[in-house]
Amino acid sequence: MTLLKAVRGTRDLLPPETELWDRVESTARRVFARYNFGEIRTPVFEDTQLFARGVGEETDIVSKEMYTWEDRARAQSEKSQSLTLRPENTAGVVRAYIEHKLGETGLLQKLYYIGPQFRRERPQKGRYRQFWQIGAEAIGPPSAGSESPLRDAEVLEMLASFLDELGITGWTLVLNSVGSASDRPKYVAALRDALAPVKDQMSPDNQRRAETNPLRVLDSKDPADEAIIATLPKIADYLDDESKAHFAAVLAALDACGVKYEVNPRLVRGLDYYTRTTFEFTHGGLGAQNALLGGGRYDGLSEMLGGPKAPGIGFAMGLDRLILTLKTAEGASSGAPQFALADAFLAPLGEALNAPALELARELRRHGLRIELGDGTFRLRKSFEIGNKLAHNIILLGEDEQASGILTVKNFATGEQTKIPRGELAQTLKNS
RNA sequence: GCGGCUAUAGUUCAGCGGCAGAACGCCUGACUGUGGCUCAGGAUGUCGUGGGUUCGAUCCCCACUAGCCGCCCCA
């Protein structure tokens, strides 16, 4: 029989690495809560139309990377429905915002999520077909201040604080403005006009981009095309006064709180819904996938999905990539993540002591102690060997100890062995 | 989706057209209620899968699968 394996691009996360995941996630929850964000959990699959309309039919994500299937009708009266595993979470959050009429509260909705996303791409380092994102969205009616550049700056400052608190150093915040919903098409048209006469001289990749997504030409890494790219129109010249003022205000707010950034006029993002502010936090040592997180403003998304006007700004952070950078950083200093040691390994000496040992373990665990319970069939030597790997102390529960109520405890670090009355055991272990 | 590299023990990796190897880890004993250090012994395995060449393939060839790197794109 052939062995079943995790499918391509998916993987198992095992302890002790999962402790690192837990640390990152709990840090996110803690930091985001200080900014008054609340958690939202949306379904892992949605109507395919949500992504087609929200993310954009022409994007790579929608056109070739989605896991989509026809959910078959189970009754004559029922129609089959095209469903898709979510490739990102912003569309789902905005769908929920509309569906639950959160705009009617009149308040800005600040929501974060942590969960798996799915894209059918070729797996690589830092890129998986099931990957995890931590993201947040600040969305609401304009009257709630959702269009304010302060929101952009606040989200960026929150991200900087989060990365700092996690101990991630060496990141770079890169940002740009791609203009409002009306600026952007004008600019794209100008770009097409400028590219038309010169694109034949460019690399095949850029010729293709010039046709499908001219903005991407700006993002080209091809040095041969640099000269031509430098002559292309600049987005900054196509921003209307409002967009210019918005971007300036974002930068001013970042300056005021000392968050460092780089403006990159060529930063474009792949999703159709972005307007005005777009950004990335990048990090070296991630290989070709150097973007730790990306995001931006999406002032028109709600309306694209048939909802009310609800401007917003958000980001999605690649948890897999975050863990990767943490692991390489910590691997260099203190080695790979280690299992945390239990407070004590409890060794029953003989099978007859198994049941009493479980009772003692229960008592100690109720005091909050982390206890590894051995087995009465183990030879004492084996208990010591296992205990030494898993715990700080070993507790012996033999016939003598059971009869007298005085336990034998040995500390592995000091080698010191003591007799401790059962009533004092929990406190002694806690203090050690 | 395209190009390149790789796949051998639990792990990290040597190796060779002719009996499958090392280190670490694991198991047993020296030591019947005492770990680490030491010593002695032991088991590691469909050599990724399927086909081909050959007297003979873990080794050479082909295909597939998976991983890694780059491209595309993205978190």
Side-chain angles (χ1 to χ4, degrees):
Chain A
M1 192 162 67
T2 52
L3 243 44
L4 264 25
K5 301 196 299 183
V7 306
R8 183 169 208 199
T10 70
R11 62 204 177 124
D12 303 306
L13 303 170
L14 308 172
E17 188 184 326
T18 37
E19 286 179 23
L20 194 53
W21 284 71
D22 184 57
R23 195 172 95 212
V24 172
E25 289 169 19
S26 55
T27 302
R29 292 176 193 283
R30 190 175 64 244
V31 172
F32 296 174
R34 297 205 290 256
Y35 293 77
N36 215 25
F37 276 75
E39 184 183 7
I40 182 171
R41 303 192 189 193
T42 68
V44 146
F45 55 88
E46 300 262 7
D47 193 307
T48 303
Q49 278 307 304
L50 174 65
F51 305 116
R53 279 154 59 183
V55 178
E57 201 89 57
E58 303 306 317
T59 60
D60 278 20
I61 292 177
V62 172
S63 65
K64 52 189 196 197
E65 294 174 2
M66 295 204 302
Y67 285 99
T68 297
W69 72 98
E70 202 61 27
D71 197 47
R72 67 170 179 271
R74 307 198 68 113
Q76 278 299 349
S77 56
E78 207 180 356
K79 270 192 283 191
S80 73
Q81 186 180 19
S82 178
L83 301 179
T84 293
L85 248 29
R86 63 185 184 199
E88 58 99 56
N89 218 330
T90 299
V93 170
V94 174
R95 193 223 78 232
Y97 172 91
I98 297 167
E99 185 168 335
H100 301 288
K101 300 186 176 7
L102 298 181
E104 297 301 312
T105 62
L107 297 172
L108 189 70
Q109 300 296 307
K110 296 196 286 189
L111 305 164
Y112 77 86
Y113 57 83
I114 299 178
Q117 319 293 336
F118 306 85
R119 290 180 203 171
R120 200 179 183 292
E121 294 182 278
R122 180 95 165 236
Q124 240 174 278
K125 182 180 190 177
R127 171 190 290 171
Y128 305 96
R129 290 183 170 183
Q130 172 174 333
F131 61 101
W132 292 73
Q133 286 188 331
I134 299 180
E137 317 290 348
I139 179 174
S143 62
S146 58
E147 283 179 301
S148 169
L150 182 58
R151 298 280 78 85
D152 307 34
E154 186 182 29
V155 162
L156 291 166
E157 187 276 320
M158 177 171 85
L159 283 165
S161 293
F162 168 74
L163 293 174
D164 287 347
E165 198 146 326
L166 257 188
I168 292 187
T169 55
W171 50 264
T172 307
L173 163 57
V174 184
L175 72 169
N176 189 25
S177 176
V178 295
S180 67
S182 58
D183 301 334
R184 191 166 160 166
K186 279 185 221 158
Y187 176 63
V188 172
L191 211 50
R192 278 189 200 279
D193 288 347
L195 280 167
V198 293
K199 68 183 180 201
D200 293 350
Q201 303 156 38
M202 304 184 89
S203 67
D205 264 349
N206 277 330
Q207 291 190 30
R208 181 181 48 75
R209 287 170 172 147
E211 292 296 329
T212 58
N213 190 351
L215 286 173
R216 291 234 70 92
V217 174
L218 300 176
D219 212 20
S220 168
K221 291 163 200 149
D222 196 330
D225 292 347
E226 275 299 304
I228 294 175
I229 292 169
T231 67
L232 296 173
K234 305 279 183 293
I235 180 75
D237 299 329
Y238 286 79
L239 299 186
D240 62 26
D241 289 346
E242 258 184 277
S243 289
K244 278 181 194 163
H246 184 99
F247 194 46
V250 173
L251 301 186
L254 289 176
D255 288 336
C257 59
V259 173
K260 298 261 192 300
Y261 58 85
E262 284 174 16
V263 173
N264 179 354
R266 291 191 189 173
L267 176 70
V268 292
R269 304 202 46 76
L271 281 57
D272 280 359
Y273 53 63
Y274 285 119
T275 54
R276 291 190 173 159
T277 313
T278 58
F279 58 86
E280 280 180 5
F281 283 66
T282 59
H283 196 279
L286 272 175
Q289 279 65 242
N290 68 343
L292 213 46
L293 66 93
R297 181 163 275 286
Y298 44 86
D299 290 341
L301 180 55
S302 174
E303 288 151 292
M304 284 162 65
L305 296 175
K309 185 169 170 60
I313 180 155
F315 64 86
M317 180 159 47
L319 193 42
D320 308 77
R321 293 180 186 179
L322 204 61
I323 299 283
L324 205 59
T325 56
L326 272 177
K327 271 168 72 176
T328 49
E330 296 191 357
S333 58
S334 62
Q338 302 287 319
F339 280 102
L341 289 179
D343 294 301
F345 180 91
L346 174 54
L349 308 185
E351 280 189 78
L353 278 313
N354 269 350
L358 180 60
E359 191 215 344
L360 176 57
R362 175 176 159 99
E363 185 182 316
L364 296 173
R365 286 165 175 158
R366 286 188 169 190
H367 280 89
L369 289 161
R370 182 164 171 159
I371 302 297
E372 178 79 22
L373 183 56
D375 190 275
T377 59
F378 292 171
R379 289 180 48 200
L380 187 60
R381 173 188 172 82
K382 183 179 167 110
S383 287
F384 266 83
E385 283 172 351
I386 299 174
N388 187 40
K389 284 176 192 160
L390 299 180
H392 293 293
N393 300 283
I394 186 167
I395 304 168
L396 303 186
L397 181 62
E399 285 174 16
D400 294 351
E401 286 85 356
Q402 177 67 4
S404 65
I406 297 176
L407 284 305
T408 306
V409 178
K410 185 166 183 178
N411 181 290
F412 283 115
T414 64
E416 185 188 359
Q417 184 161 312
T418 49
K419 297 276 189 183
I420 300 173
R422 181 164 177 156
E424 299 169 19
L425 185 55
Q427 200 52 48
T428 306
L429 288 173
K430 276 189 184 179
N431 293 341
S432 71

